Amino acid sequence: SYVQAHPGVDFVLRTGTTAEMVERVLDRGLEGAFVCGPVVHPQLVSTPAFTEELALLSAPTERTLATALRRPDLRLVILRAGCSYRQRLEELLARRGVVGLRRLEFGTLEAILGAVAAGLGVTLMPRALIGPTWRGGRVRAHRLPASEARVQTMFVRRRDMLPSSALLAFQRHATRGQAR
């Protein structure tokens, strides 16, 4: 909808882990990025964009969070290092005494969802990303306590760069109606 509203703007969308996106903004490779918060860096301006609810995902046969985490062959199905959700998943499990798990790393969300659906392990993702997969019964989304489930997505940009009018318009457009 942004591209339709601003046809004169060249638009490039990149994806990556939080660490990669922050690094690209710091290196001036990107004007700005949406990343998992909090982000505190002296060279960045970090603005809350929206709040998301995280869910722990398991195979559909795992009826409860407790049974999903008690599997003897439990693995983490995750993105590469630098992913904030990966770090949060490891912290969440450590608080429950689940440590030292084997990891399966994938490069796309689709691959992660497929591996979880196949029963290869568990992952942590925003509910908004798993809508059709979860509603279709391919994975089970386990609710987490609010203190673990809520995550703030931030928009970051360099402090020493004046944002372009296109960037400001994109930021307004992307966060409009997103407060949850």
Side-chain angles (χ1 to χ4, degrees):
S1 64
Y2 173 78
V3 172
Q4 291 174 339
H6 303 323
V9 174
D10 291 333
F11 184 80
V12 178
L13 180 69
R14 303 267 189 249
T15 61
T17 66
T18 293
E20 291 167 347
M21 295 291 96
V22 167
E23 192 62 34
R24 286 181 180 171
V25 171
L26 287 169
D27 289 345
R28 294 179 168 82
L30 295 174
E31 265 192 279
F34 288 103
V35 297
C36 185
V39 176
V40 179
H41 192 284
Q43 293 177 317
L44 296 177
V45 173
S46 180
T47 307
F50 46 90
T51 301
E52 296 183 286
E53 180 185 356
L54 299 176
L56 188 125
L57 307 182
S58 71
T61 56
E62 302 295 339
R63 308 279 303 154
T64 68
L65 178 60
T67 58
L69 298 181
R70 280 198 303 263
R71 286 184 49 180
D73 61 343
L74 185 64
R75 294 181 193 96
L76 302 180
V77 182
I78 50 181
L79 283 173
R80 60 201 168 274
C83 175
S84 295
Y85 300 133
R86 172 185 178 154
Q87 178 183 346
R88 286 177 184 267
L89 175 59
E90 290 172 344
E91 292 169 358
L92 179 147
L93 295 175
R95 282 192 295 275
R96 289 166 171 76
V98 181
V99 295
L101 297 178
R102 302 210 49 130
R103 293 175 177 87
L104 299 173
E105 283 189 24
F106 293 93
T108 67
L109 296 178
E110 293 80 11
I112 289 172
L113 289 170
V116 169
L120 297 180
V122 297
T123 197
L124 186 70
M125 243 180 236
R127 277 187 179 274
L129 292 180
I130 59 167
T133 304
W134 166 49
R135 285 191 292 276
R138 290 186 52 219
V139 298
R140 184 170 303 275
H142 301 279
R143 287 209 176 270
L144 297 169
S147 61
E148 294 175 321
R150 306 301 276 174
V151 62
Q152 185 77 51
T153 296
M154 310 298 286
F155 187 81
V156 296
R157 63 174 180 80
R158 286 190 59 93
R159 187 176 301 282
D160 62 355
M161 290 179 66
L162 191 61
S164 67
S165 59
L167 178 66
L168 292 174
F170 173 73
Q171 190 176 353
R172 279 192 308 274
H173 191 89
T175 58
R176 174 185 48 175
Q178 293 292 319
R180 294 183 224 166

